[in-house]
Amino acid sequence: MLRTPVLTQDQIDVFYNTGSLVVRGAFSPEEAKLIQEWTGELAALPEAPGRQWVFHEKSLKDPAQKLISRIEYIHPFHAGFKELAEALRAPVGQLLGEEAVLFKEKVNFKMPGGDGFKPHQDSQAGWDKYTDFFISVLVCIDEATVANGCLEVVSGHHKRGLFRSWEPMTADDMKGMSFVSVPTQPGDLIFFDCYAPHQSQPNLSDKIRRLYYATYNKLSAGDHQAQYYADKHKNYPPDIERDPAKTYVFRV
Ligand SMILES: O=C(O)CCC(=O)C(=O)O
């Protein structure tokens, strides 16, 4: 059984003032090892239509090589990740001030050669269609460093709200923002809200960097998970369910 992280009032205040919160060692080394094992099991699950969603990318080190970039829609197919998403619901509920409901989850693999993420706010990916506020939790699976592309967050600018849905941030939006790298160890967590600008660099190192993300909203704002995945499946299905005649564009 994974422990349920509990936040202090000081941590809740940091989250609201800055838009993010780092909790070191929220899971023990044994729990972190278990989550690593689960991630190996997840990556080894066969890819099949209607199952977990697997996405690939071309390696930046060797474009002839294809890498797993991301697996989404996990918890129905892996009991461990179901337990993890459940364990994180309580501290997110503390931050939301009421019960949290899961919106989506994924593992970003960022293998050696894996690409980074352009600066964005999560709600820019059309999440504002479902409700106006989400909190995500990053669970560090492998050590994340500047060299392998750890998360970089901006403090304070979450208070500006959503810039524009389905459009990346412009240079003008980013004036005065400073992206700060947040290296993490297995078992560390980073909570951040859907307006907190963040980005990450490609992984040009030789060390894998897997991070799990679970996103929640207030239960009183509705359970949007099924609709979100149905909509996303239409526009950006997992690789195995793609129509070879179509071009799919990752927008934000
Ligand atoms: O995993 C990362 O490096 C950043 C992920 C991210 O920003 C996203 O998936 O929206």
Side-chain angles (χ1 to χ4, degrees):
M1 241 336 231
L2 291 177
R3 72 183 64 180
T4 297
V6 178
L7 303 178
T8 64
Q9 188 55 49
D10 282 353
Q11 289 175 314
I12 295 171
D13 293 345
V14 168
F15 178 82
Y16 274 95
N17 290 330
T18 65
S20 65
L21 168 72
V22 184
V23 180
R24 303 278 173 202
F27 292 117
S28 68
E30 295 72 31
E31 288 169 319
K33 191 159 175 288
L34 193 60
I35 296 168
Q36 275 180 357
E37 284 167 16
W38 292 344
T39 311
E41 290 166 10
L42 175 67
L45 287 178
E47 272 182 76
R51 305 288 295 179
Q52 80 285 1
W53 295 8
V54 185
F55 299 88
H56 302 83
E57 64 185 331
K58 269 189 203 157
S59 168
L60 296 173
K61 290 177 169 226
D62 169 10
Q65 210 195 336
K66 269 204 149 187
L67 309 170
I68 290 189
S69 59
R70 186 164 77 253
I71 301 185
E72 288 197 38
Y73 190 41
I74 300 166
H75 69 91
F77 310 106
H78 194 288
F81 281 100
K82 190 169 185 175
E83 187 184 335
L84 179 56
E86 183 55 26
L88 296 168
R89 216 163 59 78
V92 174
Q94 287 185 273
L95 294 172
L96 290 171
E98 67 162 82
E99 195 169 339
V101 61
L102 185 68
F103 178 59
K104 61 171 289 176
E105 17 101 77
K106 63 184 175 191
V107 172
N108 285 347
F109 280 72
K110 208 181 271 189
M111 307 286 223
D115 206 355
F117 289 78
K118 295 196 173 60
H120 65 280
Q121 301 171 302
D122 280 343
S123 272
Q124 289 182 305
W127 295 6
D128 57 318
K129 168 177 171 188
Y130 305 97
T131 186
D132 61 355
F133 193 65
F134 300 88
I135 293 177
S136 296
V137 196
L138 170 162
V139 179
C140 181
I141 301 170
D142 305 303
E143 182 181 30
T145 64
V146 170
N148 69 10
C150 63
L151 195 71
E152 300 173 26
V153 295
V154 175
S155 175
H157 287 251
H158 63 300
K159 293 182 179 160
R160 294 164 66 185
L162 180 63
F163 290 109
R164 287 158 309 277
S165 204
W166 289 123
E167 276 182 45
M169 291 195 299
T170 62
D172 219 36
D173 296 332
M174 288 189 277
K175 269 193 197 139
M177 286 187 190
S178 142
F179 286 83
V180 176
S181 298
V182 189
T184 46
Q185 293 291 329
D188 292 349
L189 307 179
I190 306 177
F191 295 84
F192 55 103
D193 85 20
C194 58
Y195 304 122
H198 57 282
Q199 67 178 12
S200 69
Q201 307 302 321
N203 180 3
L204 300 177
S205 80
D206 57 3
K207 300 243 168 35
I208 187 169
R209 191 237 62 175
R210 296 168 301 179
L211 300 174
Y212 170 81
Y213 295 87
T215 302
Y216 305 81
N217 61 268
K218 289 182 178 176
L219 182 58
S220 65
D223 179 348
H224 303 285
Q225 189 184 154
Q227 191 60 51
Y228 168 78
Y229 280 123
D231 292 344
K232 183 156 183 180
H233 196 278
K234 274 190 216 133
N235 301 320
Y236 206 74
D239 288 355
I240 198 157
E241 295 182 60
R242 290 192 168 193
D243 175 349
K246 267 192 173 171
T247 307
Y248 299 90
V249 182
F250 182 83
R251 288 194 282 170
V252 180

